[in-house]
């Protein structure tokens, strides 16, 4: 992820959602470890993704070409 973006988002398993939202900070941070890289897929997307005013399913469509 560091090759793509300088910050790592927290990626949670569905069973951890409630803990992340409701637990005290020390307990929530226990589930915020590094997400297994074999479960991630990096896709090239268009520049519209970077603007919070844009919405729609087209934002998640992968573009052709290599990401890295």
């Amino acid at each position: 992820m560091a090759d793509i973006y300088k910050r790592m988002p927290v990626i949670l398993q569905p069973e951890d959602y409630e803990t992340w939202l409701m637990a005290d900070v020390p307990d929530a941070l226990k589930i915020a470890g590094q997400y297994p890289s074999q479960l991630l897929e990096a896709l090239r997307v268009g520049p519209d993704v970077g603007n919070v005013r844009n919405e729609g399913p087209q934002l998640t469509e992968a573009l052709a070409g290599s990401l890295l």
Side-chain angles (χ1 to χ4, degrees):
M1 188 73 184
D3 293 336
I4 300 169
Y5 194 67
K6 62 185 173 187
R7 295 185 289 172
M8 178 63 182
V10 174
I11 304 172
L12 303 171
Q13 297 288 346
E15 60 268 19
D16 294 327
Y17 293 168
E18 186 171 352
T19 300
W20 179 252
L21 294 172
M22 305 303 285
D24 293 331
V25 172
D27 291 332
L29 290 176
K30 289 177 187 174
I31 62 170
Q34 187 172 355
Y35 199 79
S37 61
Q38 65 271 22
L39 299 178
L40 296 174
E41 181 181 9
L43 302 172
R44 184 181 176 99
V45 295
D48 290 345
V49 170
N51 187 330
V52 297
R53 291 176 286 187
N54 296 324
E55 295 182 18
Q58 76 282 2
L59 296 175
T60 61
E61 294 174 4
L63 299 178
S66 175
L67 183 62
L68 301 175

